[in-house]
Amino acid sequence: MLVIFSTSAFAQKVEHGVLVGGGIGFPMQDSKQLIPPTNELRYDHNLKGNGMIGYRLRFLPQRKHFFDLDLTIGFQGMSTQKYVPFLSKQDGIYTGNGGDEFSEFVMPISIAASWNYRITEKFFFGLGIAPTLYVRPQAVFDLPVLAKVGYRVGKHCELALSYQYGCLDVLKHFNKGAANGRKGHLSDLMLSVYVPF
């Protein structure tokens, strides 16, 4: 009898389910690399669409204020062009010398914790942090802050749009081979679907 009561009380306080999402990324460059003329390298990053899959634990789901704990693994492709900018004598504008181009596969593992507030019964916003370990292309830690808005479509479906801003210089830790010398951090905008059980 006590076990049944405890299980029922736990179910009312915690909700859980699968989390999937996709979006786009934004590599933030070191501003010193973007002001020519310079002998330093410049990097133009092109982040392809990113995705993630994970699991969510939602605490106090019936209340106006509730908390989410998201365990996710992400995947993203990134192509990069490296070059040294220089001033063209003909038209007086800064151009690049072509440089090297290479691709990388980026894989972050994250534990995101957020505080959320219901504006209406179905619509909410949230703020939090997402400690992240990038396991590819190099092992490096980041501590992004996040903001999100969400809408509960039904009992077993919720949509959310979130933005994460990476606070640490992640790109400098990816410096190997053709990438040597770059600096900057990663951020992303993602649309996710949460399916509670």
Side-chain angles (χ1 to χ4, degrees):
M1 182 72 171
L2 182 60
V3 174
I4 295 172
F5 178 76
S6 299
T7 304
S8 176
F10 178 79
Q12 291 177 1
K13 294 180 180 178
V14 178
E15 180 183 85
H16 57 95
V18 175
L19 187 65
V20 294
I24 55 174
F26 309 99
M28 309 291 183
Q29 288 295 119
D30 186 323
S31 61
K32 291 180 181 178
Q33 293 178 323
L34 301 178
I35 305 175
T38 176
N39 291 325
E40 294 183 24
L41 296 172
R42 175 173 174 170
Y43 295 91
D44 284 341
H45 296 288
N46 179 24
L47 281 169
K48 301 173 183 176
N50 60 0
M52 67 85 175
I53 186 168
Y55 201 80
R56 169 172 290 167
L57 295 172
R58 174 164 291 173
F59 300 91
L60 307 174
Q62 306 301 325
R63 297 193 180 179
K64 200 169 185 69
H65 302 268
F66 60 93
F67 301 91
D68 286 342
L69 186 64
D70 301 340
L71 308 157
T72 64
I73 183 167
F75 41 91
Q76 183 172 45
M78 179 168 66
S79 63
T80 301
Q81 184 181 25
K82 178 188 79 171
Y83 62 93
V84 177
F86 63 90
L87 181 63
S88 171
K89 292 182 180 179
Q90 287 184 334
D91 48 18
I93 61 171
Y94 290 106
T95 59
N97 63 357
D100 299 325
E101 189 167 344
F102 53 95
S103 297
E104 296 165 291
F105 178 65
V106 181
M107 180 182 285
I109 297 175
S110 175
I111 301 176
S114 62
W115 167 86
N116 305 278
Y117 179 79
R118 294 186 196 281
I119 300 171
T120 68
E121 184 180 346
K122 294 185 176 183
F123 183 69
F124 68 92
F125 75 90
L127 299 170
I129 58 171
T132 301
L133 176 65
Y134 287 90
V135 295
R136 286 184 59 94
Q138 299 295 323
V140 57
F141 178 76
D142 195 8
L143 189 61
V145 294
L146 68 90
K148 64 179 177 179
V149 292
Y151 185 79
R152 191 68 173 241
V153 178
K155 186 177 180 181
H156 297 290
C157 183
E158 180 178 286
L159 302 176
L161 185 65
S162 63
Y163 176 72
Q164 287 193 93
Y165 180 86
C167 295
L168 304 181
D169 189 348
V170 170
L171 290 177
K172 76 175 182 180
H173 296 284
F174 292 173
N175 288 337
K176 273 200 172 183
N180 190 37
R182 66 178 161 177
K183 298 178 181 178
H185 56 273
L186 298 174
S187 296
D188 66 72
L189 182 69
M190 184 168 290
L191 178 66
S192 65
V193 179
Y194 167 51
V195 182
F197 300 137

